[in-house]
Structures are given as C-alpha cells and as structure tokens.
Amino acid sequence: MNKTIRILIADDHALVRKGLITLIASEPGIEVVGEAADGVEVVLKARSLKPDLILLDLIMPRQNGLEAIHQIKGE
C-alpha cells in the first residue's frame, strides 16, 4: 500500500517556503498540505491539517520552532 506523506512547512521567509514547496511537491508520494509563517500559525495548522510530517524553522516570530514543537506534541 502506497500512502502519500502529508507535509506542513513552516518558515518565516516566504521565499524559503515557496522553494521548499516547489521542491517537495515534485516528489511522488509526497503532498504539501499547508504552510505557516510563524510558530503560532504552525500550531493552528497542525491541529486542523493533521500532517504526517512538519518541516519547520526553529527561529520564527511570535513563537519559535521549539516552543511550537512542544505545544504540538503536548496536544
């Protein structure tokens, strides 16, 4: 059974997000389901989108990546 891997990308730089989305989306079996610009947004999107994998920057505004990881894991 081939399952598609669903990825959420979080980075405060739009150009980095777009580049990663373009690169990752071209791979078979992988789907980018969302993107976030900061730690607060990634927590909210992780709740709603339930991705298999989250690729995130550690240094982001409003909430850094480590804080976001702890909050997501706690939920």
Side-chain angles (χ1 to χ4, degrees):
M1 176 168 98
N2 291 333
K3 182 180 183 253
T4 299
I5 299 169
R6 302 172 72 249
I7 298 178
L8 172 60
I9 296 175
D11 195 293
D12 56 322
H13 297 95
L15 189 58
V16 172
R17 286 194 315 271
K18 296 302 178 199
L20 288 169
I21 289 167
T22 300
L23 187 67
I24 292 169
S26 68
E27 292 296 318
I30 300 176
E31 176 187 8
V32 177
V33 294
E35 61 181 284
D38 62 48
V40 173
E41 187 178 6
V42 76
V43 171
L44 294 172
K45 291 206 173 177
R47 278 184 202 142
S48 65
L49 298 172
K50 308 239 186 282
D52 300 312
L53 178 75
I54 301 173
L55 179 62
L56 74 143
D57 187 3
L58 292 180
I59 302 171
M60 294 186 291
R62 297 203 301 161
Q63 183 177 14
N64 70 44
L66 289 176
E67 292 167 340
I69 289 168
H70 289 295
Q71 188 171 352
I72 291 166
K73 283 185 70 172
E75 293 178 10

